[in-house]
Amino acid sequence: MTTFTRIPEGETPSISIDVSRRLSKIDPNVYGGFMEHMGRCIYGGIYDPGNPLSDSNGYRTDVLCALKELDIPVIRYPGGNFIATYHWQDGIGARENRPSRPELAWLGTETNQIGTDEFMHWLSVLSEGKEKRVEPYFCLNMGTGTLDEALAWVEYCNGTRNTYYANLRRKNGHEEPYNIKYWALGNEVWGPWQVEQMTAEDYSKKAFQWGKALKLLDPSLCLILCGETGHSSWDHKVLNSCIQYADMHSIHIYTSSKAHLANVTAPLSAERAIETAAALIDIARIEKGIPPSVKQTKICFDEWNVWDPVRAPGEQGAEELYTLSDALGVAVWLNVFVRQSKWVGMANIAQSVNVISPLMTTKDGVIKQATWWPLYLFSKYMRGWTVGVHVSAGAYDGATEPAWLQGVLEQGASWLDVSASVNEEGVVSLVVVNINETTDFEVDLTGVGKEVEVYTVTGKDVKVVNVKGKEDVAVTESKWDGQGKYKFPKHSITLLRWATGKKITEVVKQDGIRLDTRKLAWSEE
């Protein structure tokens, strides 16, 4: 967590890092990805048969290499809005027998050439060389889909017995179960753009019954409830109704503004959303009498990013050209997840390739957009535990997007947006985002080491972008002796990293209570 004191403009800012204030574990899943059957994400993104850069399976090898750099722990699939008319059985078996269907979310045609088995195989290729596989996170069709269809999909993926859909998977060449843990109970079913929009009451009734049945089939599932923004009456209602089956609660927010300072401060609205959703979770658990020993329901921020749907319409593929301002916004987003690690169990940037993505493909290569670089630095270095930090600095208190954020920020938004972490080896990483477009800040740092690695992302102005053959935004590396003040350049992201020489030992709380779905009662393991 980071605390903030506003000081007059012109006074010297300060940042105090206290490594002994190790607050909460940063779940690696906050660096998750998302791949939807939308635009060029799947077809032309990860799968591009006939391209010289693709392997014998049709997988783009340059995309695989780039995504391996991010060490993505989990990928959400296959939607998104797409899921509301997707029927998983269209995407299994012989490819030549798979039907093409009208796709109503993004007004395209789904050929079903990539389905469950292909996506799981692609994940296995992405996982090569990793200690742990990249976990799949599937979303269930609660629009035009049925509970029988959902149960069949889980049985197909996870079944071990001599049953119909487990045998169908075996018949299709996959003897071993996929053991898919994460399953979402629908996507944005509250939205008027959905094929089957629901009221909170109708969704709650449906999600409760689906949750009960799915847990009966496979008690090991981690079920993710369909929330809204985290600060809505929808979230309150569905949590109160379904908290028994909500291992995580999903919320979605996208931010953007044409004005730089509104653009980079907008992700602070997500911080308030996380705090609000966490309180709603506590209320639901208290009112339903869930024992305190039951594992805490976490927030799954499974769609987030900087996205202007007017600038990059979804039905046209949503291919954003990201600026340095957007990169600073993404860095503030990631700072929020680190600061709020107590509550966030997963986050999935929407999306991982081509569609509002930091990674874009051309026929002969990939482009790492400006927003790639903060994602790369965080996923590589901001691991372990959140560390307590205090910032004293000037602040921005002008117009915000959304407008309500301005009233929430009682001291304004600090010019220096900060988070810090410490990993198991005792290495501290401090991220400082200078959102000011015109001013460098010389800052007093307390608690910093003497041999500091420095990673900086900036550019000539906040509008600069990366395009094919011209990378104006990237990471530069340097060293600092940790002495005196450190100057954080205007419109920049800086990561300072140093060793404390002390390894961290984690004490893990044991959970000993589970829900008996047949009795709807809690019992000892």
Side-chain angles (χ1 to χ4, degrees):
M1 194 64 184
T2 299
T3 52
F4 172 60
T5 300
R6 184 170 185 170
I7 61 175
E9 301 294 333
E11 289 191 8
T12 300
S14 65
I15 299 173
S16 176
I17 309 101
D18 185 354
V19 180
S20 68
R21 289 186 62 216
R22 180 162 52 92
L23 301 177
S24 50
K25 193 74 182 283
I26 301 167
D27 197 307
N29 284 347
V30 298
Y31 304 121
F34 175 31
M35 293 188 176
E36 182 172 4
H37 284 247
M38 174 184 179
R40 293 194 307 123
C41 183
I42 302 297
Y43 306 110
I46 68 170
Y47 181 66
D48 195 8
N51 189 294
L53 294 171
S54 298
D55 64 16
S56 59
N57 299 299
Y59 307 153
R60 282 286 292 256
T61 56
D62 52 347
V63 171
L64 284 164
C65 288
L67 294 179
K68 284 182 178 183
E69 290 183 57
L70 296 181
D71 194 17
I72 297 173
V74 59
I75 295 179
R76 184 176 181 238
Y77 175 85
N81 294 342
F82 169 82
I83 195 63
T85 57
Y86 178 66
H87 300 284
W88 68 272
Q89 292 184 61
D90 288 342
I92 61 171
R95 276 185 165 135
E96 61 271 18
N97 295 332
R98 298 182 190 179
S100 291
R101 305 281 193 194
E103 198 287 297
L104 301 184
W106 308 113
L107 305 180
T109 299
E110 175 53 49
T111 65
N112 286 299
Q113 293 303 290
I114 293 291
T116 301
D117 296 315
E118 289 80 21
F119 183 73
M120 291 304 297
H121 182 260
W122 180 83
L123 275 188
S124 72
V125 176
L126 181 62
S127 302
E128 288 175 355
K130 288 173 58 72
E131 184 178 343
K132 296 181 179 179
R133 74 171 185 175
V134 180
E135 290 293 326
Y137 164 25
F138 279 13
C139 185
L140 295 166
N141 179 355
M142 292 189 78
T144 60
T146 65
L147 177 53
D148 275 346
E149 184 179 13
L151 291 167
W153 201 8
V154 173
E155 182 190 337
Y156 182 89
C157 293
N158 293 1
T160 59
R161 291 180 286 175
N162 182 25
T163 57
Y164 178 80
Y165 287 105
N167 286 335
L168 182 58
R169 183 196 68 241
R170 296 179 181 110
K171 180 181 177 182
N172 288 335
H174 308 280
E175 179 64 30
E176 297 302 317
Y178 292 129
N179 296 320
I180 298 175
K181 177 181 179 181
Y182 302 106
W183 295 83
L185 295 172
N187 171 79
E188 293 186 2
V189 294
W190 43 267
W193 51 85
Q194 290 298 315
V195 172
E196 187 178 340
Q197 183 185 8
M198 298 181 214
T199 65
E201 290 74 15
D202 287 342
Y203 172 76
S204 295
K205 292 175 184 176
K206 192 172 184 177
F208 187 92
Q209 298 300 336
W210 281 44
K212 178 169 63 175
L214 289 161
K215 288 281 192 176
L216 285 169
L217 178 64
D218 186 346
S220 71
L221 299 183
C222 177
L223 297 182
I224 292 94
L225 196 61
C226 177
E228 190 177 347
T229 58
H231 50 70
S232 74
S233 56
W234 172 284
D235 296 282
H236 187 197
K237 171 63 181 175
V238 301
L239 277 165
N240 241 16
S241 301
C242 304
I243 191 69
Q244 294 95 321
Y245 299 114
D247 297 292
M248 288 199 276
H249 180 69
S250 164
I251 60 177
H252 294 175
I253 292 177
Y254 294 95
T255 62
S256 73
S257 176
K258 293 179 181 178
H260 166 67
L261 288 173
N263 191 45
V264 295
T265 56
L268 299 178
S269 66
E271 191 149 27
R272 188 61 166 173
I274 291 167
E275 293 167 342
T276 305
L280 294 176
I281 288 169
D282 280 349
I283 291 170
R285 288 170 65 92
I286 292 166
E287 291 188 350
K288 295 299 181 182
I290 296 177
S293 53
V294 172
K295 190 175 182 181
Q296 179 68 36
T297 300
K298 291 295 188 79
I299 292 164
C300 182
F301 221 126
D302 55 12
E303 286 190 32
W304 70 272
N305 205 344
V306 176
W307 179 27
D308 181 351
V310 175
R311 187 171 64 189
E315 64 273 15
Q316 296 177 22
E319 298 197 9
E320 282 268 26
L321 182 60
Y322 284 117
T323 65
L324 176 61
S325 177
D326 298 327
L328 268 60
V330 166
V332 174
W333 264 107
L334 293 164
N335 270 345
V336 166
F337 294 144
V338 171
R339 291 194 292 257
Q340 298 295 327
S341 62
K342 178 180 179 180
W343 305 113
V344 183
M346 186 189 297
N348 307 79
I349 188 169
Q351 295 181 19
S352 294
V353 185
N354 286 332
V355 177
I356 50 174
S357 176
L359 185 68
M360 303 294 292
T361 63
T362 67
K363 63 181 178 59
D364 52 9
V366 294
I367 299 168
K368 294 174 179 176
Q369 295 216 70
T371 55
W372 169 273
W373 296 106
L375 192 64
Y376 170 79
L377 287 176
F378 273 81
S379 64
K380 187 170 184 178
Y381 297 120
M382 297 299 282
R383 305 275 184 163
W385 292 266
T386 298
V387 168
V389 178
H390 186 74
V391 178
S392 296
Y396 168 74
D397 53 14
T400 59
E401 180 61 44
W404 61 259
L405 177 62
Q406 188 175 12
V408 171
L409 299 171
E410 295 180 0
Q411 298 188 75
S414 173
W415 292 124
L416 304 174
D417 191 88
V418 179
S419 75
S421 68
V422 61
N423 68 13
E424 289 82 354
E425 298 301 315
V427 177
V428 179
S429 296
L430 174 74
V431 171
V432 179
V433 184
N434 181 355
I435 65 172
N436 197 300
E437 193 174 357
T438 60
T439 306
D440 302 335
F441 290 108
E442 289 197 336
V443 179
D444 286 324
L445 292 175
T446 304
V448 70
K450 294 183 179 180
E451 296 181 6
V452 183
E453 298 174 356
V454 181
Y455 304 85
T456 307
V457 179
T458 189
K460 65 179 182 179
D461 58 55
V462 297
K463 296 181 180 178
V464 68
V465 298
N466 288 350
V467 294
K468 182 179 178 181
K470 193 169 187 283
E471 191 173 74
D472 287 335
V473 180
V475 172
T476 59
E477 299 182 19
S478 57
K479 302 283 187 180
W480 178 49
D481 62 9
Q483 302 301 305
K485 296 179 175 64
Y486 188 87
K487 181 189 287 188
F488 294 97
K490 61 187 178 183
H491 52 69
S492 69
I493 305 159
T494 305
L495 188 150
L496 304 179
R497 186 170 165 83
W498 65 92
T500 64
K502 297 180 180 179
K503 291 190 176 184
I504 305 298
T505 302
E506 182 180 13
V507 179
V508 180
K509 179 181 177 181
Q510 299 296 319
D511 298 310
I513 302 287
R514 65 176 178 83
L515 176 64
D516 187 331
T517 52
R518 291 170 178 80
K519 298 178 181 177
L520 287 182
W522 302 98
S523 59
E524 295 289 340
E525 289 274 36

